[in-house]
Amino acid sequence: MASSISETNFEESKRIKRRKTGDELRDPDTIDHTRWRSESEQRIYSTKLFEAIRQVRRNSSPVNKVSSGRDIQDAADRVLAVAAKGRTRWSRAILASRLRLRLAHNNKKHKKARLAKVTGSIRSKMPEKKRFIPALQRKVKVLSRLVPGCRKVSFPNLLEETTDYISALEMQVRAMAALTELLTGSPVDRLASTSDS
Amino acid sequence: MENEFFLNAGVPLSLHFESSASMPMWHSLSSAMEIQGTEVNCLSEQSQDCFLNPNWEKSADHGVHFDSALSSMVSSPAASNTNLSNDSFVIRELIGKLGNIGNSGDISPHSQPLLASYIGGNTSANTSCYSTPLNSPPKLNVPRMDHLVKENLPSLGKSMPLNSSVADFSADPGFAERAARFSRFGSKSFNDRTSQFGIKNTDVSCRSYLPMDTEGLPRVSSSPSLNALGSQMGAQENNISPLQDRTELANSQEESTVSEQIPKGETGLKGSNDVNSRKRKTASKGKAKEATKAEEANDKSNAKRCKTTEANGNENGPVKAEEETKGSTRCAGDEKQSKSSTKPPEPPKDYIHVRARRGQATDSHSLAERVRREKISERMKLLQDLVPGCNKITGKALMLDEIINYVQSLQRQVEFLSMKLASVNTRMDFNMDSLMISKDIFRSNNPSPHAIFPLDSSASAFYGHHPQQNPALHTNVSNGTATQCPVDPLNTAPCQSLGVQLPPLNGYSESVSQYPMYGEDDLQTIVQMGFGQNTNGETAILQPRRFHVSDQATHAKVEL
């Protein structure tokens, strides 16, 4: 795949260059986006996710509150961030945010943000033709909000983060779907909800 | 002859210097062109005369002359390159003047398209198809042209709609050829603009134009025509970006040609620009600024082909020399700089863009800009591979839309799945832990799909259904249940019990042996083992994999 080829180039340059943390100088070569596709990565993730979910359940049972989807999602995101080994900005942001934000706060934030993003992206399509700067900038902003921890990242780095984030999300979806399927005994249809057993 | 025009037009003679050289190219070009215009070929000869002189002099006649001149030029394969090249300059001048006239609506639609196409053709094959280099005020009766013109040459602020003729020009395969050539040369002065244009004219014609622009600084700066041309060029460049989205081409062929040309030209130009810039680093700051601006503008316009070409044009217009004062100063500055720094610049670089930003590419700013742009485009390509259905989308804005939608859909999926998992979580009792574990392993070991029943509804019917699967499973399960350890069935305690209870673990000695080590690593190993056997397991989201959990549960219970 093209990305893998570019990745090798990146890796080489990475070895040569010193990685810089600044946005502008960040070395994109350090990130290998193809690793999210590997089976082993998914296995590792599934394992950890499983553990995390058990923990969530355990933690929530004393309180006698139903483990909400949000909890699971947070756990899944956290595990995903751990799997990323902190190389990417979004993974670090996820790990950092867990320490700061409360779940409820996250719920509100994310839901609002998501709604805003949806509408924002829709809105951005309308004035496209009128003003070209805002359209692009708006989309960049929307995207930066979608990817955790990337609100003030430069555009090229944002794209880099997005690439890794998309790969990681795909893996997360695969792993969670497999796990759900395993647990519920029914195939999980990605596009439609299946009945829970 | 040519000289006359230029003189008449106020354009320095040097302009058509090489028009003779360019002539053959144009000639081939024009011959290759598909000319919609039915007009004729007299243009080549007449064009200069009637075109330049009379047109300029008589506003009233402009339309007529333009019409004939343009049509002949456009349509006639015989039209010499020089004519075209000369005409381009002339046309621009004319357009400038006609702009005023055009406003009055004198210009006939025919001439307008011709003019537009002419200019477009001269400047860039690509652009001609799609956009009219001149902004056409609504006053003009040619709606198409107006639209095109507006978008293309806002700088000129002229009202010459240059639709069809431009399209004709662009359709010419010769343009593509030239564009390719042009891209090779990598007009350094036109960094972005030219790249966007994808090579408008043959190298020769470019050369002819450029030298005039860049070298004739005093003339350029002083002559409004050049400014107009420059703006035109700029506008045309900008137009190129929208070109791809234009569907106004008369001929589908033209469109295809143009589209081919555009990417060719663009990529070629960009590459060549890079090369040129690297080779020469004498660009001055002013040039750099303009180049950078142009690059950015062009870049953006490239990115957003369908969008706001007007905006781009507007941006470029002022930058290029739309407003004569601005343009002239800039042009003068750039030209001077380019003149000094671009002694050795390749003529093709300068040829199309009257703006004459030679040495732009060599400026550190423009270099940085280019590097930045390429980084962005590189990453966009990676993303394109990643996001499904983005192969045909070109342009940053559209790609961003797709990316945003895809990320949102993925996040929604994660949310949905997590909710599902949560429901599974709540439904199951503490046995679920062991169940989960066993399921993981089971799943991996079990290639055939089995229905997974939650413990609650477990049925003993499946108990002995799959003995192979059971051992590992009920080993775990028994461990879990045996220990009655809701907290950590995977703890070493269960492992020990697991070691004790290993009835049918024939086929799973592997997994069993690994159990004692149980910690997370082992679990991982176990899971991996399972996964290893079932490589498709994780990815087969849509494939039902069912396990007889009930078997294990019942079995465990039985064992207990």
Side-chain angles (χ1 to χ4, degrees), chain A residues 50 53-54 57-58 60-61 66-67 179-186 196-197, chain B residues 420-439 452-458 486 547 549-550 552-553:
Chain A
F50 181 64
I53 290 178
R54 276 195 304 116
R57 206 180 63 79
R58 253 182 284 131
S60 67
S61 51
V66 175
S67 57
L179 192 60
T180 309
E181 196 178 340
L182 195 73
L183 290 178
T184 62
S186 55
D196 287 339
S197 54
Chain B
K420 250 195 150 193
L421 277 175
S423 72
V424 167
N425 240 7
T426 53
R427 191 175 56 245
M428 303 238 180
D429 53 14
F430 55 81
N431 278 337
M432 179 189 67
D433 293 334
S434 57
L435 192 64
M436 279 179 161
I437 299 165
S438 56
K439 280 182 187 168
I452 297 178
F453 294 85
L455 279 174
D456 318 348
S457 58
S458 66
F547 302 91
V549 172
S550 60
Q552 307 149 16

Side-chain angles (χ1 to χ4, degrees), chain A residues 42 173-183, chain B residues 443 537-538 541:
Chain A
Q42 190 166 349
V173 167
R174 281 198 301 268
M176 287 177 72
L179 192 60
T180 309
E181 196 178 340
L182 195 73
L183 290 178
Chain B
R443 179 170 182 286
E538 298 305 329
I541 293 174

